[in-house]
Amino acid sequence: MTGKDWRDGLPYRPNVGICLINSHGKIWVGKGESSGPEIVEPGREWQMPQGGIDDDRDIVEAAKRELFEETGARTVETLAVTEDWWTYDFPIQGEPPHKLAPFCGQTQRWVLFRFTGDDSEFDISAQSVDEPAEFFEWRWADPQTVVDRVVPFKYQQYSRVLNAFLNWL
């Protein structure tokens, strides 16, 4: 790419990520279509729930809200929260026609929840919220599969998340 990087001078978007595990140590992942800056390769479209937050928002409450909006799940137990904000940059792919164009990437804190309900609780249709559905399919996955199936620019972030929550996986 020649010329100025479109990300220069843009802020990071505050975001909360959710690692939801079941009683078997498997992680909830959803398969969705991109509305952001990534080019999604077949097989790399699985991700954990996440969403933008206000800077002053309680992280656990924000994570519960995002989890409900994207998965329908409410029956969770909080296990851990990362203390630091971790950043990642969006990939450079020309001019950004995506909804996150005002940002160069995201800065995240992560919350680990244990799901204590029944799988019938999951509703990825987003019918109960005024938002478009993030996912069109979901499953429980082994931790390494979660890292291997995410878009490449989130690989390092997901590795860091799983390392932080390793004691619960």
Side-chain angles (χ1 to χ4, degrees):
M1 176 177 183
T2 59
K4 185 178 177 194
D5 180 342
W6 64 263
R7 301 174 304 180
D8 287 348
L10 294 177
Y12 285 95
R13 176 184 184 231
N15 187 281
V16 63
I18 299 112
C19 183
L20 179 66
I21 62 172
N22 65 14
S23 61
H24 304 290
K26 301 230 180 195
I27 299 173
W28 193 101
V29 289
K31 184 177 186 180
E33 295 180 4
S34 173
S35 60
E38 66 269 20
I39 295 175
V40 179
E41 302 165 10
R44 305 295 299 267
E45 60 273 281
W46 294 89
Q47 68 175 6
M48 294 182 273
Q50 66 178 49
I53 60 171
D54 296 329
D55 287 327
D56 59 350
R57 186 100 189 238
D58 178 80
I59 295 299
V60 173
E61 290 307 311
K64 286 180 178 179
R65 177 187 51 81
E66 282 297 326
L67 182 66
F68 174 71
E69 287 179 3
E70 295 186 7
T71 73
R74 291 186 190 262
T75 313
V76 297
E77 169 189 2
T78 305
L79 299 178
V81 180
T82 60
E83 290 185 29
D84 297 325
W85 291 89
W86 301 333
T87 60
Y88 67 86
D89 293 333
F90 294 139
I92 302 170
Q93 295 173 18
E95 292 300 315
H98 54 84
K99 69 178 184 177
L100 300 176
F103 305 98
C104 65
Q106 300 199 92
T107 183
Q108 297 180 309
R109 285 186 62 197
W110 282 80
V111 177
L112 175 66
F113 291 126
R114 176 176 287 123
F115 182 65
T116 57
D118 184 84
D119 283 0
S120 63
E121 187 172 326
F122 293 107
D123 177 6
I124 57 174
S125 70
Q127 290 179 357
S128 56
V129 295
D130 190 24
E131 295 286 330
E134 289 284 330
F135 305 112
F136 58 84
E137 187 177 332
W138 73 272
R139 68 179 181 194
W140 294 107
D142 291 320
Q144 189 56 47
T145 301
V146 172
V147 174
D148 292 341
R149 299 289 184 233
V150 72
V151 291
F153 74 95
K154 290 183 182 179
Y155 181 90
Q156 183 176 4
Q157 189 81 329
Y158 273 36
S159 295
R160 191 175 195 180
V161 169
L162 296 187
N163 188 51
F165 297 147
L166 192 59
N167 292 338
W168 291 274
L169 304 174

